[in-house]
Amino acid sequence: MLESALYRSAVALRTALIGKELIRLNTPLSAGPLPEVGSTIEEVRCHNKSIEIVWDDGMVLETQLRLLGGWHLYRQGEVWKKPQDSAHVVVEVDEWVAACFNSSSVETYRDFDPRRHPLLGTLGPDLRSASADIEECVDRMMGYEERDETISEVLHDQRIMVGVGNVYRCEILWACEIHPWAQIGTLKRAECRELVQLAHEMLQSNYVHPAHKSAEGVTHELAAYGRQGKACHRCGDLIRVAHHGEASRVLYWCPGCQTAHQPLVRPNFTPLSIDRDGMYVDQHPAAQMFMQDVISARGNSQHNTH
Ligand SMILES: [Zn+2]
């Protein structure tokens, strides 16, 4: 598959899959971890002749595509151009079925995130439990050792609280109008409590009702997560996306209204340095903004690994 075709495939897959829950997954894999049905697709990455689909629990499905390999995208019920049983991988979500043909290898792995598997220290309260100790979480946030750590990282730190996945992390920060890179040391106790209480409420309501419940006033749709380039329900500004943190998970936020405790300098900021090939740039302003964020994030991760 040519590099340009690979990029176009990834762009199409992003449009169809990101933010959607997995309904069905067929792979040739008989061992190893697999993304679970019901988990949300967070990202589609494309590099070195491979396409990777990333779920919100950190699972990654990697498909190597040499000259003959490729991903096809079909609407539910649409007639396929190739026999369905010749697909190596099938990823089904609401409205769409993505199928991978002739991949030279298929693998799954989990993005390493040390904060999800703390080696030292005790786990924080599990917010999926109705009786979770909110004040204990707040105490742990107020006593967080690295005072310049971002609130986004702290919400994923299992030593502080357990159960807040990436979708809820973005949603509660939006709901509380807090900037995702706010330093934990700048937050007041009441603000920490509000974040934890909201996370607890959201996790509880989803436990009872499997359908997503989002921030107050926004029904049947998430407010920030998966909405890059779309208008914010509160202020009308365009929701943005970027990579952040040790595990480089994607973060969605509104630059218009999530301004509380906004740091002056973005952590690990690296200026845009990647050459742009006009061929790959979607002319829609929202798409361009998305590509800028992706390019910026890629610059960051390269910077961090050197
Ligand atoms: Zn907004």
Side-chain angles (χ1 to χ4, degrees):
M1 194 176 204
L2 294 172
E3 202 72 0
S4 56
L6 196 69
Y7 272 90
R8 281 198 297 274
S9 281
V11 168
L13 288 171
R14 280 184 197 123
T15 307
L17 302 181
I18 287 180
K20 300 269 184 71
E21 287 181 5
L22 180 66
I23 295 174
R24 176 171 66 104
L25 174 72
N26 291 354
T27 73
L29 300 168
S30 54
L34 285 174
E36 284 181 23
V37 167
S39 58
T40 302
I41 294 172
E42 181 159 90
E43 199 179 355
V44 176
R45 300 196 286 230
C46 162
H47 56 83
N48 293 338
K49 303 217 173 352
S50 76
I51 284 187
E52 294 177 343
I53 300 176
V54 186
W55 277 262
D56 67 335
D57 57 1
M59 283 302 307
V60 182
L61 172 79
E62 181 186 16
T63 52
Q64 276 285 341
L65 306 168
R66 298 198 195 284
L67 266 186
L68 297 174
W71 278 88
H72 294 194
L73 198 55
Y74 298 104
R75 289 210 175 261
Q76 292 275 10
E78 192 179 340
V79 176
W80 289 26
K81 290 177 185 157
K82 292 183 180 223
Q84 296 202 8
D85 56 10
S86 67
H88 284 174
V89 179
V90 177
V91 175
E92 183 177 336
V93 299
D94 186 31
E95 292 182 43
W96 295 98
V97 181
C100 179
F101 296 93
N102 298 315
S103 57
S104 51
S105 85
V106 178
E107 279 180 45
T108 55
Y109 64 93
R110 204 174 276 281
D111 261 354
F112 181 67
D113 183 350
R115 286 166 199 275
R116 287 174 171 265
H117 307 282
L119 300 173
L120 296 169
T122 55
L123 290 175
D126 188 340
L127 295 181
R128 292 165 297 194
S129 156
S131 61
D133 188 341
I134 304 292
E135 288 306 312
E136 171 69 23
C137 291
V138 177
D139 285 345
R140 289 177 180 229
M141 289 171 89
M142 296 307 288
Y144 204 84
E145 212 164 282
E146 298 126 313
R147 304 301 289 160
D148 59 352
E149 185 57 278
T150 62
I151 182 63
S152 298
E153 286 291 277
V154 173
L155 291 172
H156 261 187
D157 191 332
Q158 310 266 291
R159 298 168 300 180
I160 306 302
M161 65 193 85
V162 174
V164 180
N166 203 24
V167 174
Y168 287 126
R169 171 169 76 160
C170 299
E171 292 297 303
I172 62 174
L173 287 171
W174 182 88
C176 295
E177 300 179 42
I178 291 176
H179 196 280
W181 296 313
Q183 294 180 355
I184 182 67
T186 65
L187 266 70
K188 298 187 179 72
R189 190 174 178 90
E191 291 170 315
C192 291
R193 185 181 295 116
E194 192 183 4
L195 284 168
V196 179
Q197 271 172 345
L198 191 57
H200 189 235
E201 282 168 22
M202 280 189 172
L203 284 163
Q204 292 306 303
S205 63
N206 261 23
Y207 185 71
V208 182
H209 309 289
H212 274 307
K213 185 192 175 195
S214 178
E216 202 176 333
V218 181
T219 51
H220 308 301
E221 191 183 9
L222 296 169
Y225 187 89
R227 297 193 67 242
Q228 74 277 4
K230 294 184 181 161
C232 170
H233 293 303
R234 189 163 49 213
C235 75
D237 211 336
L238 300 184
I239 300 288
R240 306 202 67 175
V241 62
H243 284 237
H244 178 65
E246 285 192 40
S248 200
R249 309 296 304 282
V250 282
L251 268 184
Y252 297 86
W253 85 102
C254 174
C257 58
Q258 280 182 251
T259 53
H261 305 292
Q262 181 168 3
L264 291 175
V265 179
R266 172 179 164 167
N268 304 324
F269 179 76
T270 309
L272 293 181
S273 60
I274 293 179
D275 54 316
R276 304 272 205 79
D277 185 337
M279 192 175 150
Y280 302 137
V281 177
D282 187 328
Q283 293 308 308
H284 190 278
Q288 286 190 18
M289 186 182 282
F290 177 63
M291 285 310 292
Q292 275 179 15
D293 286 331
V294 169
I295 289 165
S296 163
R298 193 185 298 153
N300 279 345
S301 59
Q302 282 169 357
H303 175 76
N304 290 340
T305 51
H306 289 172

